[in-house]
């Protein structure tokens, strides 16, 4: 079927992700319009639909990456697939958070961070190859959008781990370890967004105000989580 081919995996995953965004926005608007009309059953059905869509998107992107890698795809394409996979994993983590499954959310967010790091490495390999064929002292720089995506993934992981550290049913030692891991993820996220802000160049089309706002939100969220 569609997911059995390299381009088909990407199309299927993109369609799933787009549908998920539409459903999430529709749910948000419905909640704003009539918050009391959404029953527990409605919310459970919506959460389950999100879980299925994100699961399908993640599976399709994992297969697509494998197909592309086997076919000898360029680093740019592999990086794009890895980044999309990370985004889908992050959405899957958010869906798990909504249904209260913090262990699954942690696993999804952790993998999302790893996939974003892989996407960045692949992108840099491709850029370094381009720079090698360029005359003059030109250095490869990590794209701002990848730094922002990495930072966002780290902050999401911090949020989940802080939430898990408040579970009083867990041993004290495990809760303390989760807090340490959450703080480390939060610091990494803020640092990545700080780096993105420093590299932002409006002349190159970078959204400097948007990146600065994302950085500021991350600082506030991490500080709020750490003090909670």
């Amino acid at each position: 079927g569609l997911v059995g081919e390299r381009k088909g995996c990407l199309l299927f995953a993109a369609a799933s992700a787009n549908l998920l965004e539409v459903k999430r926005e529709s749910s948000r608007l419905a909640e704003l319009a009539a918050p009391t009309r959404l029953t527990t059953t409605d919310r459970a059905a919506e959460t389950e639909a999100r879980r299925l869509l994100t699961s399908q998107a993640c599976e399709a992107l994992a297969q697509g990456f494998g197909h592309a890698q086997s076919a000898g795809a360029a680093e740019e394409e592999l990086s794009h697939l890895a980044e999309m996979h990370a985004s889908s994993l992050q959405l899957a983590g958010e869906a798990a958070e909504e249904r209260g499954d913090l262990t699954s959310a942690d696993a999804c967010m952790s993998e999302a961070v790893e996939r974003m790091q892989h996407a960045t490495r692949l992108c840099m390999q491709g850029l370094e190859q381009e720079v090698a064929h360029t005359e003059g002292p030109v250095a490869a720089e990590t794209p701002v959008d990848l730094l922002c995506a990495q930072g966002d993934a780290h902050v999401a992981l911090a949020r989940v781990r802080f939430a898990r550290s408040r579970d009083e049913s867990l041993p004290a030692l495990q809760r303390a370890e989760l807090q340490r891991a959450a703080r480390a993820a939060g610091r990494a996220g803020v640092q990545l967004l700080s780096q993105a802000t420093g590299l932002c160049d409006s002349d190159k089309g970078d959204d400097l105000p948007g990146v600065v706002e994302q950085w500021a939100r991350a600082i506030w969220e991490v500080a709020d989580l750490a003090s909670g």
Side-chain angles (χ1 to χ4, degrees):
L2 186 63
V3 296
E5 298 178 359
R6 174 174 160 191
K7 291 184 178 179
C9 290
L10 182 57
L11 288 171
F12 180 81
S16 297
N18 288 336
L19 179 58
L20 182 64
E21 289 299 325
V22 169
K23 287 180 71 63
R24 184 162 62 174
E25 182 64 12
S26 297
S27 297
R28 187 184 70 82
L29 292 175
E31 182 75 20
L32 288 173
T36 59
R37 292 183 187 175
L38 290 178
T39 66
T40 302
T41 303
D42 292 333
R43 291 189 177 89
E46 186 66 28
T47 299
E48 178 61 14
R50 287 188 63 192
R51 186 191 69 78
L52 288 172
L53 281 171
T54 52
S55 177
Q56 290 169 352
C58 289
E59 184 178 350
L61 283 162
Q63 290 184 25
F65 185 90
H67 291 321
Q69 193 170 42
S70 298
E75 282 82 0
E76 182 180 3
E77 180 180 351
L78 292 173
S79 176
H80 180 58
L81 286 168
E83 183 182 0
M84 286 189 67
H85 190 191
S87 297
S88 293
L89 284 163
Q90 199 167 329
L91 288 172
E94 290 173 5
E97 276 187 275
E98 284 187 6
R99 63 179 186 270
D101 186 356
L102 293 179
T103 301
S104 294
D106 192 324
C108 288
M109 297 302 191
S110 296
E111 191 176 354
V113 166
E114 291 174 5
R115 295 306 295 170
M116 274 307 313
Q117 291 171 336
H118 192 201
T120 303
R121 285 194 297 270
L122 288 166
C123 179
M124 292 306 295
Q125 287 171 12
L127 290 174
E128 286 165 2
Q129 289 175 13
E130 290 180 14
V131 168
H133 296 90
T134 303
E135 294 183 1
V138 181
E141 289 184 346
T142 306
V144 169
D145 60 337
L146 281 179
L147 287 171
C148 288
Q150 270 202 79
D152 188 56
H154 276 85
V155 172
L157 177 59
R159 182 181 67 245
V160 171
R161 288 190 170 166
F162 271 122
R164 290 189 65 202
S165 73
R166 298 187 185 102
D167 183 354
E168 295 184 357
S169 68
L170 295 177
L173 188 61
Q174 184 179 355
R175 293 176 62 193
E177 181 56 37
L178 283 166
Q179 279 207 358
R180 283 193 292 271
R183 292 178 190 279
R187 282 195 301 270
V190 170
Q191 288 170 359
L192 285 161
L193 289 165
S194 174
Q195 185 181 350
T197 303
L199 291 174
C200 244
D201 187 346
S202 299
D203 292 337
K204 295 180 181 178
D206 295 332
D207 179 16
L208 179 57
V211 174
V212 171
E213 181 182 352
Q214 186 179 354
W215 178 36
R217 282 202 314 268
I219 293 172
W220 179 88
E221 182 176 358
V222 170
D224 185 57
L225 287 168
S227 63

